[in-house]
């Protein structure tokens, strides 16, 4: 998933100035913005093909889970950047980002797997 790959973009190097670290933030946000755009387009395409009046379909739920994960990744990126600007350790922010990415990716996989299993039981 593109959202978790953005946490591999580093901005912790102490020798880099604020401008270079800001470039890394822009890179993360650009990838996340592109992923959000693609997810929304994919959701719209799926809605034109799948017409259901029963409420949310499995595809809708999977798209919403993806959008939620991507928005959480945007929030985490901005919060970690603000923390480093206010004097927090960039190395610690990056370690927390890596851990958060793995936890979020695992949570995303479990959520999507659960949604598929629940849909299969119907």
């Amino acid at each position: 998933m593109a959202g978790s790959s953005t946490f591999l973009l580093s901005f912790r190097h102490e020798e880099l100035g604020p401008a270079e670290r800001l470039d890394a933030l822009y890179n993360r946000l650009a990838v996340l913005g592109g992923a959000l755009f693609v997810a929304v387009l994919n959701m719209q395409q799926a809605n034109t093909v799948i017409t259901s009046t029963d409420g949310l379909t499995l595809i809708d739920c999977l798209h919403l889970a993806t959008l939620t994960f991507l928005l959480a990744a945007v929030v985490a990126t901005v919060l970690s950047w603000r923390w480093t600007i206010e004097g927090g350790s960039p190395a610690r922010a990056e370690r927390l980002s890596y851990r958060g990415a793995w936890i979020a990716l695992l949570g995303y996989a479990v959520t999507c797997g659960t949604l598929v299993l629940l849909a299969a039981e119907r």
Side-chain angles (χ1 to χ4, degrees):
M1 168 128 239
S4 60
S5 67
T6 61
F7 291 100
L8 301 176
L9 298 172
S10 176
F11 62 87
R12 73 175 169 90
H13 303 292
E14 300 292 339
E15 67 273 2
L16 294 179
E20 290 84 7
R21 286 193 219 153
L22 192 57
D23 283 343
L25 173 73
Y26 289 152
N27 291 338
R28 280 187 184 190
L29 292 177
V31 171
L32 290 169
L36 281 167
F37 180 72
V38 168
V40 169
L41 285 180
N42 193 357
M43 187 174 187
Q44 289 177 345
Q45 182 66 28
N47 284 338
T48 61
V49 173
I50 301 170
T51 55
S52 174
T53 58
D54 293 340
L56 290 177
T57 64
L58 172 63
I59 300 297
D60 292 333
C61 292
L62 292 173
H63 279 107
L64 290 174
T66 302
L67 291 173
T68 301
F69 174 75
L70 290 170
L71 288 174
V74 169
V75 169
T77 298
V78 171
L79 289 177
S80 67
W81 173 250
R82 283 187 53 103
W83 187 59
T84 58
I85 289 279
E86 294 172 356
S89 166
R92 184 164 186 227
E94 190 166 313
R95 278 193 311 274
L96 290 173
S97 289
Y98 287 155
R99 265 191 223 131
W102 283 109
I103 291 168
L105 187 58
L106 179 64
Y108 176 76
V110 167
T111 299
C112 291
T114 303
L115 289 171
V116 169
L117 288 175
L118 290 174
E121 289 179 359
R122 286 188 198 172

